[in-house]
Amino acid sequence: MGFLLLKTFHIVMVISWFAGLFYLPRIFVNLAMVPLEDAHKLENDRLLLMANKLFRFMTPLGVLAVISGVWLWIGYDIGAGMGWMHAKAALVLVLIGYHLSCRNRLEEFNRGERRHSHVWYRWYNEIPVLMLLAIVALVVIKPF
């Protein structure tokens, strides 16, 4: 029963973390579209407030998702046929890097820097979708 509760907790934390990973870059798209003139300062400030609060909310969710995932992994018999788990772990490391990259993008916006266009952020926003697809496919199909 404890294993199933931990698994349930892990799934909820992953879903919650991904909700943030999907939405934060969408806020970046909108921030990149806001003109830098003073007339748009309120819009920019509101989007920055949303982005900063979302990042502070989603970071502990990501930490809990990773910790509970490692805890579940410890309970698995890592032997033959578990290559999918190693591949999943590698993708989670890439996802953590993406999360940290979101922090860097947010810090740039907080400093008033606009290094990328809204089109770039639209593509950047697709990375967690591809990561989720790959991770779920590994967990469900267990190809190796």
Side-chain angles (χ1 to χ4, degrees):
M1 179 71 162
F3 177 78
L4 293 178
L5 288 173
L6 179 60
K7 197 173 192 178
T8 300
F9 179 79
H10 175 66
I11 291 169
V12 171
M13 291 301 102
V14 168
I15 291 169
S16 302
W17 183 29
F18 265 97
L21 289 173
F22 290 152
Y23 189 52
L24 184 60
R26 289 300 309 164
I27 296 174
F28 294 164
V29 169
N30 291 308
L31 276 165
M33 293 175 67
V34 174
L36 292 174
E37 294 89 36
D38 286 340
H40 299 279
K41 184 172 176 11
L42 287 177
E43 181 181 5
N44 186 72
D45 290 350
R46 185 177 308 113
L47 288 168
L48 272 177
L49 178 68
M50 291 170 57
N52 282 296
K53 284 185 175 188
L54 178 58
F55 188 80
R56 283 193 306 269
F57 180 74
M58 67 189 249
T59 297
L61 296 170
V63 169
L64 290 172
V66 171
I67 289 171
S68 59
V70 169
W71 194 353
L72 285 167
W73 192 1
I74 291 169
Y76 269 88
D77 178 25
I78 305 298
M82 292 296 287
W84 66 270
M85 184 71 87
H86 294 96
K88 176 189 169 195
L91 291 175
V92 170
L93 289 175
V94 172
L95 200 57
I96 291 168
Y98 180 81
H99 184 101
L100 296 173
S101 172
C102 284
R103 182 196 64 204
N104 294 340
R105 304 293 73 79
L106 182 56
E107 288 174 357
E108 289 171 1
F109 280 114
N110 282 325
R111 290 190 304 265
E113 298 173 11
R114 303 286 173 91
R115 296 188 180 194
H116 306 288
S117 71
H118 68 93
V119 175
W120 187 90
Y121 283 108
R122 288 179 197 280
W123 285 103
Y124 181 77
N125 186 47
E126 299 305 322
I127 295 170
V129 175
L130 298 173
M131 299 302 301
L132 180 62
L133 180 62
I135 291 169
V136 170
L138 285 169
V139 171
V140 173
I141 300 168
K142 296 178 178 58
F144 44 89

